[in-house]
Amino acid sequence: MTPTPLLQIDGLHVAFGARDRWREVVRGVDLRLLPSEVVGLVGESGSGKSLTALSIMRLLPPGARITSGRITFAGTDLATLSSRAINARRGSDIGMIFQDPLTALNPAIPVGRQIVDSLRTHQEVGRKAAWARAVELLDLVGIHRPAERAHAYAHELSGGMRQRVMTALAVCNDPKLLIADEPTTALDVTVQAQVIAMLDRIRRELGIAVLFISHNLELVAGIVDRVSVMYAGRVVESGAVEEVFDTPQHPYTRQLLRCIPRLDGKTGPMPTIPGLPPRLGGAMPGCAFAPRCQVVQQRCPLETPPTRRKDGHLSVCWEAPA
Ligand SMILES: Nc1ncnc2c1ncn2[C@@H]1O[C@H](COP(=O)(O)OP(=O)(O)OP(=O)(O)O)[C@@H](O)[C@H]1O
Ligand SMILES: [Mg+2]
């Protein structure tokens, strides 16, 4: 028997604009996370990763709306919840960390107090106990001298430290799911690796599921169980991370893997995928990747490609699975 998913997204469509002039930017995304599972969502800039994540939290930017699809979290259809109920879940059942911690941290309140406030908003806990817990959490995310650092303001901390504080804040109310949207993009490579190692450790210690969003497939590969690759608002490939890495099925994934920046310090020209992602909006009957695809067939720009499955490995392409 397959376990019940913690998060299940079916056919999610997100669009910008008004009724007669919709610009669809998420175009039928399906995504599943089991409890304690770590799933990567990867793809180039503009592919719809953040809007997918923000839909879960109902934090879409003004002008954007979910036009169809279902998002079920721990058995509840999130669309049926009131804004108030969603607010209560945010920061308790679901925690989120972003690329830029400064947007999430309050500049005027010491970081320890921010954790205390979040704890006391969602749980019945005294001030002293909450402070002790905040210090414990700062220690958990790898902040040295946490009792001292708890008094610091966000601007007094380095980028990597802020990302750790935001993680402590995101997990302080024992969420079942942590959404990490490009949490290391703004950091230098060494600090990136440290933050990834920290996220991996705390998710193991806390047993939480993580949706890890990045444009860098190699970066997520070390910590995710499964990965979904997005292109132009759609998931074009998904599967166990080793399978997607070792035997990528979709031409986009194959080209993406060739463009991975080298982490070994060697320099050299970095290959890029020729061409640009499509401007979303108009009708796109066929495969959106067709104009940039190296193995394009005549029917690709015209007909919707089929979803091919081999065990749990899925690829949306006319090309037969390898
Ligand atoms: N506030 C906005 N107003 C108008 N269009 C937007 C807005 N935010 C996003 N979009 C459009 O939606 C598309 C998907 O955006 P999204 O932020 O989900 O991409 P992403 O995959 O997270 O990219 P990145 O890697 O750059 O973060 C973009 O191509 C962009 O055109
Ligand atoms: Mg994004």
Side-chain angles (χ1 to χ4, degrees):
M1 205 180 80
T2 40
T4 315
L6 175 67
L7 175 74
Q8 177 147 356
I9 300 181
D10 295 301
L12 177 70
H13 288 251
V14 177
F16 277 95
R19 189 179 294 269
D20 49 341
R21 292 197 53 180
W22 287 121
R23 193 163 73 87
E24 242 194 3
V25 288
V26 174
R27 306 183 301 135
V29 164
D30 298 331
L31 199 71
R32 273 163 59 101
L33 259 95
L34 299 176
S36 309
E37 193 179 27
V38 183
V39 171
L41 189 59
V42 301
E44 277 170 295
S45 185
S47 54
K49 307 180 297 293
S50 293
L51 292 177
T52 300
L54 293 170
S55 300
I56 304 168
M57 305 286 277
R58 248 203 256 161
L59 285 174
L60 286 171
R65 52 174 288 206
I66 297 176
T67 48
S68 62
R70 259 175 91 92
I71 303 178
T72 313
F73 180 79
T76 311
D77 181 356
L78 291 187
T80 62
L81 293 184
S82 64
S83 318
R84 210 175 140 180
I86 284 271
N87 276 337
R89 287 199 167 219
R90 230 182 267 146
S92 59
D93 281 357
I94 307 176
M96 188 156 182
I97 56 177
F98 309 89
Q99 180 179 337
D100 180 9
L102 282 183
T103 56
L105 296 173
N106 189 325
I109 301 177
V111 294
R113 258 251 332 268
Q114 294 183 54
I115 300 175
V116 166
D117 291 347
S118 177
L119 284 166
R120 289 172 50 90
T121 303
H122 296 281
Q123 300 176 37
E124 281 200 20
V125 53
R127 215 158 256 292
K128 229 170 149 187
W131 185 263
R133 179 72 186 135
V135 172
E136 221 173 80
L137 283 157
L138 291 173
D139 186 42
L140 176 77
V141 295
I143 289 191
H144 302 299
R145 292 182 281 117
E148 217 173 290
R149 288 274 172 72
H151 295 283
Y153 292 89
H155 67 88
E156 296 172 323
L157 303 171
S158 68
M161 286 296 145
R162 281 181 207 142
Q163 202 50 279
R164 289 173 195 266
V165 168
M166 185 157 56
T167 306
L169 196 55
V171 302
C172 72
N173 290 301
D174 302 316
K176 298 185 185 82
L177 171 66
L178 175 67
I179 301 176
D181 190 355
E182 311 258 14
T184 64
T185 317
L187 306 172
D188 72 50
V189 175
T190 328
V191 182
Q192 274 190 6
Q194 291 164 358
V195 169
I196 298 270
M198 176 276 292
L199 284 172
D200 194 32
R201 188 170 48 75
I202 64 146
R203 76 102 183 166
R204 280 172 207 283
E205 277 185 33
L206 304 176
I208 51 179
V210 182
L211 178 62
F212 197 107
I213 299 175
S214 174
H215 56 266
N216 186 339
L217 186 47
E218 193 182 36
L219 191 80
V220 304
I223 70 160
V224 305
D225 304 312
R226 283 188 303 117
V227 66
S228 288
V229 180
M230 277 188 84
Y231 187 78
R234 288 207 171 125
V235 172
V236 295
E237 176 158 6
S238 67
V241 67
E242 313 80 48
E243 286 211 14
V244 173
F245 230 83
D246 296 343
T247 52
Q249 299 296 312
H250 198 281
Y252 175 62
T253 314
R254 292 206 290 267
Q255 283 181 238
L256 200 61
L257 282 169
R258 273 187 227 126
C259 299
I260 281 171
R262 305 183 65 134
L263 293 176
D264 58 9
K266 290 187 189 137
T267 48
M270 194 177 98
T272 49
I273 304 180
L276 289 173
R279 210 183 129 61
L280 297 171
M284 263 191 284
C287 172
F289 189 57
R292 303 170 76 190
C293 183
Q294 292 177 335
V295 293
V296 65
Q297 304 170 15
Q298 229 170 5
R299 59 185 161 185
C300 295
L302 307 168
E303 295 171 47
T304 307
T307 301
R308 299 187 190 270
R309 283 168 219 271
K310 208 169 113 191
D311 303 320
H313 193 166
L314 176 155
S315 166
V316 186
C317 181
W318 286 105
E319 234 198 20

